[in-house]
Amino acid sequence: MQKLLDAGVDRATVLSRFVDSLDEDSEQILRDLLARHSEPDEKPPGPDTRNRRPR
């Protein structure tokens, strides 16, 4: 995915396809992480949440 983004391919398309490829649990984890990232008052997720596997 990073190679496609670096190559100048339409970023929205690349990211959309990536999200579409995720299972439901992984997509929710990504949404939660993005929501936390957009809230400047909260600290970023710790290492224990970065590599969380789907249930």
Side-chain angles (χ1 to χ4, degrees), residues 18-31:
F18 171 72
V19 172
D20 287 345
S21 73
L22 297 174
D23 61 52
E24 192 173 312
D25 289 338
S26 296
E27 183 177 344
Q28 188 58 53
I29 291 167
L30 178 59
R31 288 181 186 278

Side-chain angles (χ1 to χ4, degrees), residues 36-54:
R36 288 183 207 158
H37 180 71
S38 66
E39 297 172 4
D41 293 336
E42 294 190 25
K43 57 184 176 178
D48 59 324
T49 60
R50 290 184 187 168
N51 294 320
R52 187 186 306 169
R53 299 210 184 256

